[in-house]
Amino acid sequence: VRATVDDRVRREISARGLAQSQIVVLDALLKLRQVCCDPRLVKLDVARRIEGSAKLELLFEMLDELLAEGRRVLLFSQFTEMLGLIEKELAERGIAYLKLTGDTQDRERPVREFQEGRVPLFLISLKAGGTGLNLTAADFVIHTDPWWNPAVEDQATDRAHRIGQDRPVTVYRLVAENTIEERILDLHAKKRDLADSLLAGTDVSAKLTAEELMGLLRQ
């Protein structure tokens, strides 16, 4: 996947320049972020040939241990399709869960059931869980994929740090080693306003040089 998008981005930038290559650049970054989570998220034939996901395997090792200990877990992802893959695995394992995304009509019901202790695992899309939720029953938070704007991620985490929280809350962030996930986080530490541009689809050329961009795509 990296080789495919790298070649496409190089050709596009060479022909049109970075400022005029926004769609191709953002699509490349999206595919690489998705493949870090699970290859099945990527709409490319080369990705469909891959079975399994290291991140998903690690996630369920963690969940098995946490739920066995009686922990109450909030699990966030920016990709609703990733939540769908997690749901499928949970159903196969017979693990009860609640879910909240932008498509959820009744937000109060799953929040109430989690707070009352009926179900110990709550899957939440990052945008849907960013504001307006009080989930103090949680003592663990897992982010399956890093959001490049830490403020958005922190807003989601803070759902467990509301008034009434009386226990420590542990936060896990799952980051694929030696991938674009690590590189964007490193770059973001240097350019604090970069993440918003990358995800909003605005002019990344104002924030990112062609050399820095190709560094994100390197092997």
Side-chain angles (χ1 to χ4, degrees), residues 12-44:
E12 186 75 10
I13 292 177
S14 178
R16 305 181 61 194
L18 179 57
Q20 300 300 318
S21 305
Q22 301 301 303
I23 294 177
V24 172
V25 169
L26 293 169
D27 181 65
L29 294 175
L30 173 64
K31 284 183 169 60
L32 289 175
R33 288 162 50 215
Q34 288 174 325
V35 82
C36 288
C37 292
D38 193 298
R40 289 172 289 182
L41 299 180
V42 185
K43 303 303 186 288
L44 288 175

Side-chain angles (χ1 to χ4, degrees), residues 63 66-67 71-75 114 120-122 139-140 142:
L63 287 178
L66 292 173
L67 296 177
R71 304 295 187 176
R72 307 189 54 73
V73 182
L74 302 181
L75 191 156
F114 184 79
L121 175 61
F122 203 163
D139 55 358
F140 273 78
I142 300 175

Side-chain angles (χ1 to χ4, degrees), residues 67-129:
L67 296 177
E69 293 176 352
R71 304 295 187 176
R72 307 189 54 73
V73 182
L74 302 181
L75 191 156
F76 291 98
S77 177
Q78 62 194 285
F79 300 117
T80 55
E81 289 185 358
M82 182 65 175
L83 293 180
L85 294 176
I86 295 170
E87 277 189 280
K88 182 179 178 181
E89 184 72 19
L90 289 170
E92 291 177 357
R93 294 171 178 239
I95 299 174
Y97 65 92
L98 299 163
K99 181 181 177 183
L100 178 65
T101 70
D103 295 329
T104 302
Q105 298 296 316
D106 182 3
R107 290 167 59 96
E108 293 183 5
R109 182 193 61 79
V111 170
R112 183 174 61 252
E113 291 187 6
F114 184 79
Q115 286 293 94
E116 292 176 352
R118 301 182 196 176
V119 183
L121 175 61
F122 203 163
L123 312 185
I124 308 176
S125 67
L126 198 61
K127 287 186 177 180

